[in-house]
Amino acid sequence: MALNKVVQEDMKGLVDGLHFGQKVERSLRLIREAYEEFGDRLVVANSLGKDSVAVWHLAKQVSADIRGFIVTTRFKPKETVKFMHETVAEYPELRVFSSDEPVEDRLYETAPDRCCDILKVQPIRRAIEEMNVACWMTGLRCTEGRTRTDFQEVEERDEGLMKLNPILIWHEREVWQYLALHQVRVNPLYIEGYRSLGCEPCTRITTDSDERAGRWLGTSKCGGECGIHTRPLKGDFQI
Ligand code: SF4
């Protein structure tokens, strides 16, 4: 079945309606179908967080040839930068994109949306163009927080660019279950108590039940999105 013909189901019903093994099988099937349809133009967006690392591992079970990209910024924690270098050394098919554009001091406090646009959204847009991506794959999950409840497993937010969210219906604990069972290495920052990782100035450890509550804490963007899942990624684009 062509990926864009996948019947949209009740995602919330599936979150608790399927068990772990069924979810893993479903994720692998979605990736397999996407790979059959898009081949080399199916690319993983690997943020180096636990969810992306799980998706990367799933994709590699479908084909060792599946490529990926990482978007990094000058504000990533040193642990994440080290983890990135180690990951790229292991998987040279992962390309790294970033922006050298100057940003005002503390723009992440005064205008975090603009900061994310420059440092995250623009490089992702470049990755999609330069890698000739027809379908990108993410680790987005609908149980992560208030901003992530309405996504679908297969989406076409930008015309001509499919998006696959193969672990959309996984719980946080199921991601850890998968990573533990497959002994997948993760960013050591999780040991300290972080549940969602981003740039250093915009990421905190919290005890909030919302998994993304520590992102952009104290700003208008608290618990929100950097924009890669909400902003246009193809076509004419002004920030
Ligand atoms: S997460 Fe923070 S520092 Fe990183 S790009 Fe966004 S606003 Fe800037």
Side-chain angles (χ1 to χ4, degrees):
M1 180 192 294
L3 205 64
N4 59 3
K5 299 282 189 304
V6 167
V7 177
Q8 303 293 7
E9 296 175 69
D10 169 21
M11 291 297 118
K12 294 185 184 80
L14 292 176
V15 167
D16 291 314
L18 297 183
H19 61 63
F20 173 71
Q22 291 170 319
K23 291 185 184 181
V24 173
E25 275 312 306
R26 185 182 177 94
S27 303
L28 287 169
R29 177 176 57 77
L30 283 167
I31 298 169
R32 209 174 292 122
E33 286 175 0
Y35 190 56
E36 282 167 9
E37 185 168 347
F38 298 106
D40 191 43
R41 297 186 68 201
L42 174 71
V43 172
V44 178
N46 188 340
S47 73
L48 300 170
K50 64 188 187 308
D51 309 295
S52 287
V53 168
V55 167
W56 183 248
H57 189 274
L58 286 162
K60 291 287 142 182
Q61 289 190 55
V62 171
S63 170
D65 294 334
I66 292 180
R67 300 177 300 155
F69 63 81
I70 293 168
V71 167
T72 190
T73 79
R74 66 202 75 173
F75 296 116
K76 289 290 182 183
K78 64 180 186 320
E79 292 86 349
T80 302
V81 174
K82 182 169 181 285
F83 183 62
M84 177 181 75
H85 289 313
E86 292 165 354
T87 305
V88 173
E90 188 177 354
Y91 298 104
E93 66 274 28
L94 270 171
R95 285 184 59 184
V96 177
F97 291 81
S98 61
S99 168
D100 295 331
E101 192 174 322
V103 292
E104 297 154 36
D105 265 0
R106 307 185 87 81
L107 188 64
Y108 48 76
E109 281 176 5
T110 54
D113 281 330
R114 178 160 171 75
C115 188
C116 281
D117 264 336
I118 296 168
L119 300 184
K120 289 186 169 180
V121 179
Q122 285 190 2
I124 283 230
R125 196 165 181 257
R126 191 152 44 82
I128 283 167
E129 276 176 20
E130 287 185 19
M131 295 181 79
N132 193 25
V133 178
C135 179
W136 65 305
M137 207 188 313
T138 85
L140 187 143
R141 295 180 10 260
C142 66
T143 58
E144 271 180 282
R146 62 178 170 78
T147 57
R148 300 211 159 173
T149 55
D150 294 326
F151 289 87
Q152 293 290 325
E153 287 169 316
V154 180
E155 305 184 318
E156 189 176 6
R157 289 184 172 247
D158 297 270
E159 197 179 339
L161 176 66
M162 299 302 293
K163 181 180 178 195
L164 181 64
N165 304 312
I167 62 166
L168 186 78
I169 58 173
W170 290 30
H171 286 292
E172 182 183 19
R173 66 174 159 72
E174 290 168 324
V175 175
W176 287 115
Q177 189 175 350
Y178 180 88
L179 296 170
L181 288 168
H182 292 276
Q183 298 183 309
V184 181
R185 215 163 41 88
V186 296
N187 189 322
L189 284 173
Y190 287 114
I191 296 167
E192 296 180 21
Y194 291 94
R195 292 172 67 199
S196 177
L197 298 176
C199 293
E200 195 279 330
C202 305
T203 308
R204 294 287 175 268
I205 299 172
T206 76
T207 54
D208 196 293
S209 59
D210 186 328
E211 196 177 328
R212 291 175 61 80
R215 305 291 295 274
W216 300 283
L217 199 62
T219 76
S220 55
K221 202 173 166 70
C222 183
E225 294 290 330
C226 67
I228 68 164
H229 297 298
T230 52
R231 303 274 286 142
L233 297 178
K234 246 179 118 106
D236 291 336
F237 179 88
Q238 298 292 322
I239 64 166

